[in-house]
Amino acid sequence: MPSEAQPTRASVAGAVRSFYEQLPFNYHESVESSGEAVRANPVAATYPDLHAELSSGRVKHVLELGCGAGWLTNTLASHYGVHVTAVDFTARALARAREIATRLGVAARTRFVESDLFEFADDTRFELVVSIGVLHHTGDTPGGVRHAASFVAPGGGLYLGLYHAPGRRVFLDALQGLAAREGEEAAFALYRTLDRVHQGDPTLLRSWFRDQVLHPHETQHTLREVVAWFEGAGLKLASTSINRFAALPPQAELLALEQTYAERSRRALEVERRYFPGFFTAFGRRAR
Ligand SMILES: C[S@@+](CC[C@H](N)C(=O)[O-])C[C@H]1O[C@@H](n2cnc3c(N)ncnc32)[C@H](O)[C@@H]1O
């Protein structure tokens, strides 16, 4: 039997870009409310290891691959005084990101570049490269990690956020299953009972729902894979959300811990009835 054609990086990019041109991810109703969200510094509370790195004084220049509507780039420029080069191929998201930068007075420290991240080239080596929620939408996550790592300076780091396998399965089965059986609005009705963070802004809530449930292309990964990709690119794991950003235990213990993700996901959705997207972060550092 002929097998289904595998999507290519180019076909994935085309579908993903037009998906986000309709409504970018994390897109607020207004520039003002996006600016308020940045002013609250979402990094400090959500990504303590990233906050520590940015507060260390080591980081002056950051590259963000897949910056979307710019919450992270604008947060870094506003709260940590760093210069950020930010790349994304969705023009509508970049337009919003630039408006927020201007509103917050950080336009001079941010450079937004409209490009496919795989085509982005720069001679600068950055003390920090970040890519959160992006590479699993490219059809080539390992290639994306290699490309991102190529911009990391000696002593610098790469901060990645990716969907977790099998931590994401329960959420996808429930929400995408409902969308397939009863339609998008039925799935949205369930989603809005789970996601209690983005309720106040209908555009924002819809943008999260679409991204989480209706996406044209996503893959899921494990810390075990990421550690191998990091090693192949000359990086060593420094911290991860898998053990809640604590000091790293022996690798076997850490990899055993990630096996509990599926059960944590099931409990969150079925018992606690709360949003658990099945997402993890990994921070890799290059030796000096
Ligand atoms: C889920 S959003 C995350 C955006 C941002 N990192 C955030 O946390 O809000 C994924 C973003 O990746 C961008 N993206 C996906 N594939 C890309 C590619 N090949 N080149 C450039 N941008 C890409 C999309 O345009 C979108 O803005």
Side-chain angles (χ1 to χ4, degrees), residues 9 13 16-17 20 24-26 47 64-72 87-90 93 115-118 131-138 163 211-212 215:
R9 211 158 79 183
V16 169
R17 188 169 40 225
Y20 285 118
F25 171 63
N26 207 13
Y47 303 114
E64 181 174 16
L65 295 175
C67 64
W71 75 268
L72 182 56
V87 180
D88 203 290
F89 62 16
T90 301
S115 168
D116 189 303
L117 67 89
F118 287 99
S131 190
I132 295 187
V134 178
L135 300 181
H136 50 220
H137 294 311
T138 62
Y163 285 139
D211 182 77
Q212 295 294 300
H215 209 285

Side-chain angles (χ1 to χ4, degrees), residues 83-236:
H83 289 258
V84 189
T85 299
V87 180
D88 203 290
F89 62 16
T90 301
R92 186 171 170 200
L94 289 176
R96 172 57 67 87
R98 288 189 185 102
E99 283 181 287
I100 301 166
T102 301
R103 182 171 178 84
L104 295 173
V106 296
R109 286 203 293 279
T110 56
R111 179 166 78 100
F112 291 99
V113 181
E114 186 178 333
S115 168
D116 189 303
L117 67 89
F118 287 99
E119 282 155 26
F120 175 74
D122 196 308
D123 290 336
T124 311
R125 291 296 166 266
F126 298 81
E127 294 90 25
L128 178 66
V129 178
V130 285
S131 190
I132 295 187
V134 178
L135 300 181
H136 50 220
H137 294 311
T138 62
D140 183 10
T141 305
V145 173
R146 272 195 304 279
H147 187 57
S150 73
F151 296 103
V152 176
L158 170 59
Y159 200 92
L160 282 184
L162 292 172
Y163 285 139
H164 189 260
R168 181 130 171 95
R169 200 68 262 155
V170 181
F171 177 88
L172 281 185
D173 286 352
L175 275 294
Q176 291 186 339
L178 187 56
R181 286 190 311 276
E182 295 179 32
E184 177 177 335
E185 290 314 309
F188 184 55
L190 172 59
Y191 182 84
R192 71 187 317 155
T193 67
L194 300 171
D195 178 350
R196 294 166 203 139
V197 177
H198 305 109
Q199 298 279 340
D201 181 329
T203 306
L204 186 61
L205 188 66
R206 183 65 73 166
S207 81
W208 272 75
F209 165 71
R210 289 180 82 249
D211 182 77
Q212 295 294 300
V213 181
L214 307 180
H215 209 285
H217 183 88
E218 71 159 76
T219 50
Q220 300 91 27
H221 303 284
T222 59
L223 185 63
R224 182 185 288 275
E225 284 179 296
V226 172
V227 166
W229 296 334
F230 275 178
E231 281 173 4
L235 305 174
K236 194 163 180 285

Side-chain angles (χ1 to χ4, degrees), residues 10 23 33 54 108 120-121 127 154 161 194 264 285:
L23 181 59
S33 102
L54 286 157
F120 175 74
E127 294 90 25
L194 300 171
R264 279 169 64 189
R285 189 181 294 287

